[in-house]
Amino acid sequence: MNKETFEKKLFYLDGIRGLAAFAVVISHYIQVFYPAALNGRPQQAHFKWDIWYGHSPINLFYNGQFAVCLFFVLSGYVLSVKMFENELDSETFLKLLHSSALRRYIRLAVPAAVSVLLVYLAIITNAFYLQDIWGTTWTDMKKNYYALDTNIYTVIKAAIFDPFFRFEAHPYNPVLWTMSYELLGSFLIFGFLALFGRVKKRWIVYVVLSFAFIQTYFVAFLWGMLLADLLKHKWVQSILMKVLVLLMGIYLGSAPYTSLMGTMYEPIEVWTKNFDIDPRLLARTLGAAMILFALLRSKLLQHVFGWKPFVYLGQISFSLYLIHFTFLNTFSAFLFSKVIHYFTYNLAYAITFLVSMLPLFILSHYYMKYIDQGALKLARKVEKKMTE
């Protein structure tokens, strides 16, 4: 795979990553304003269709766990795809692996840490308004930011250590729970490549590790790497097969948060009940891998996801992911608390969501430009210093 081809592939991968990030944004707005679409409780419904679309493939567009699984599968693919090039000699292979490993923590940690500092600033300036709309939205997310510890040591620890080395909820910026998986999942990839990347019978290791990690998010990284490993093979060229794989991926990926029994997703729970595994996590991870597989095999899908607005969304996706939760609980919550007095609930939400998107995207753009890109530059400098 030459550099030009690889760069083209990155465009549509950026596109699907961007849409996944936006799905996470939507999922958290749904969680706050339409909780019944996630938990299936009629008493919390604001709209007669809340329960219905929560049990349909429509929920793929706001299924946060599916989007995260897709992030992880993409990470596994992107981090490993260059390593499986046939023309790479052993020295170049190890050099690329070493470079990626050295930069990974800084690349993730700087943007994540700044997002925690933004939460700290919002707390000390009394900018959170989530508690003002609890009674109106009926949300289950009753998070009191003002009860958080604002001790500087605690905040700094929460910014640079906790997100990466604690598999727990993160009180300041809850979306940072994925960072520990991103970091350790990355080193799972690097370790696999270093030990087995040039071993012909590495398929045995894929099978063993798949069973070992089947109940965790780490299997998503593994399956993403497997897709990269399979890229050079030209099997599954049938258009019908590609469509079937895509549709099955959508079906599995859209498994709802509520009970699967009695819905179109019941077979997923029936098939997995004897294996003592989380049927939703397995379905969403497998669905994400199948959708990415279909994308890698379909020129039409590559053209769609390579559309410039989607690509741009992918470029700001990490920044959007890191700051949207804080933005939702400050600006959007404040705006909704005001407009709800003048409009019906659904119209007030529509106004809040649409008005919120412009400043959120502007903030994400500059966060990407100065924080995210700055982290990449810093990571390269640190790598250079360490390898001199």
Side-chain angles (χ1 to χ4, degrees):
M1 184 193 308
N2 60 42
K3 183 177 180 181
E4 181 181 357
T5 303
F6 184 73
E7 291 300 324
K8 287 181 179 178
K9 288 184 179 295
L10 285 181
F11 285 135
Y12 63 74
L13 294 180
D14 276 345
I16 194 171
R17 181 186 292 109
L19 290 173
F22 193 57
V24 173
V25 174
I26 295 174
S27 76
H28 286 133
Y29 274 83
I30 292 291
Q31 184 181 8
V32 171
F33 294 101
Y34 292 95
L38 291 177
N39 61 34
R41 298 171 189 156
Q43 64 270 27
Q44 289 176 275
H46 293 283
F47 187 66
K48 62 181 181 180
W49 298 107
D50 284 2
I51 307 298
W52 175 80
Y53 65 75
H55 290 152
S56 76
I58 293 174
N59 89 82
L60 186 76
F61 298 103
Y62 66 87
N63 194 314
Q65 190 186 51
F66 164 74
V68 167
C69 290
L70 187 53
F71 285 152
F72 293 160
V73 173
L74 278 166
S75 291
Y77 178 84
V78 172
L79 289 171
S80 61
V81 65
K82 282 187 177 181
M83 305 299 179
F84 291 116
E85 292 185 13
N86 290 328
E87 61 268 25
L88 283 180
D89 57 67
S90 297
E91 184 180 351
T92 304
F93 176 85
L94 291 175
K95 185 177 180 181
L96 283 172
L97 192 60
H98 187 238
S99 173
S100 298
L102 281 176
R103 288 181 286 155
R104 193 60 176 164
Y105 173 74
I106 296 174
R107 189 268 174 275
L108 293 171
V110 173
V114 174
S115 76
V116 173
L117 296 180
L118 289 178
V119 173
Y120 173 75
L121 289 175
I123 292 173
I124 63 175
T125 57
N126 297 312
F128 284 105
Y129 289 89
L130 176 63
Q131 67 280 2
D132 293 353
I133 62 173
W134 286 344
T136 307
T137 65
W138 305 333
T139 181
D140 295 322
M141 192 174 70
K142 292 180 170 59
K143 181 175 179 58
N144 183 4
Y145 283 92
Y146 298 114
L148 295 177
D149 188 353
T150 53
N151 176 274
I152 294 299
Y153 169 77
T154 304
V155 173
I156 292 175
K157 180 174 175 288
I160 63 176
F161 179 83
D162 291 351
F164 300 96
F165 305 104
R166 293 180 63 195
F167 289 91
E168 298 177 7
H170 295 278
Y172 296 88
N173 189 3
V175 302
L176 294 183
W177 72 268
T178 61
M179 292 299 101
S180 55
Y181 287 101
E182 276 288 356
L183 183 65
L184 297 181
S186 300
F187 280 92
L188 169 66
I189 298 298
F190 301 147
F192 182 102
L193 290 170
L195 295 173
F196 308 109
R198 296 301 175 91
V199 176
K200 288 185 178 181
K201 294 185 178 180
R202 56 184 175 274
W203 317 111
I204 299 172
V205 185
Y206 279 119
V207 172
V208 172
L209 291 181
S210 290
F211 279 107
F213 293 126
I214 196 67
Q215 298 188 69
T216 74
Y217 287 102
F218 292 119
V219 77
F221 292 89
L222 187 70
W223 290 350
M225 179 170 56
L226 176 61
L227 289 178
D229 205 352
L230 294 173
L231 183 65
K232 55 183 175 291
H233 301 291
K234 300 301 180 183
W235 50 289
V236 187
Q237 295 299 310
S238 164
I239 294 177
L240 176 60
M241 185 59 68
K242 294 173 187 175
V243 172
L244 290 176
V245 171
L246 176 63
L247 292 177
M248 182 57 70
I250 292 172
Y251 168 72
L252 293 172
S254 60
Y257 286 90
T258 54
S259 174
L260 305 182
M261 302 304 291
T263 71
M264 63 183 291
Y265 300 96
E266 183 173 333
I268 298 173
E269 192 150 325
V270 172
W271 295 337
T272 58
K273 67 179 181 180
N274 294 324
F275 298 98
D276 192 28
I277 57 178
D278 182 349
R280 294 168 190 79
L281 177 58
L282 177 61
R284 291 162 185 164
T285 305
L286 186 56
M290 295 178 79
I291 288 173
L292 181 57
F293 178 87
L295 175 60
L296 294 170
R297 286 290 186 262
S298 171
K299 296 295 183 183
L300 176 60
L301 289 177
Q302 291 170 13
H303 180 73
V304 171
F305 286 101
W307 189 38
K308 286 185 178 179
F310 292 163
V311 173
Y312 174 73
L313 194 57
Q315 292 169 350
I316 65 169
S317 60
F318 191 36
S319 300
L320 180 66
Y321 176 80
L322 290 175
I323 69 174
H324 80 273
F325 199 83
T326 302
F327 186 86
L328 161 62
N329 293 315
T330 52
F331 180 89
S332 296
F334 171 78
L335 180 60
F336 183 81
S337 71
K338 302 302 178 184
V339 298
I340 189 61
H341 297 298
Y342 304 98
F343 302 100
T344 62
Y345 187 92
N346 293 322
L347 184 55
Y349 169 73
I351 292 171
T352 298
F353 183 79
L354 293 174
V355 172
S356 295
M357 289 305 100
L358 180 60
L360 176 58
F361 275 81
I362 291 174
L363 288 172
S364 298
H365 174 85
Y366 285 103
Y367 200 94
M368 177 271 294
K369 185 176 181 179
Y370 294 107
I371 308 300
D372 195 18
Q373 293 297 322
L376 289 171
K377 293 176 181 177
L378 177 61
R380 292 190 192 101
K381 288 181 180 179
V382 171
E383 178 199 0
K384 186 177 180 181
K385 289 289 186 182
M386 292 180 69
T387 55
E388 284 179 348

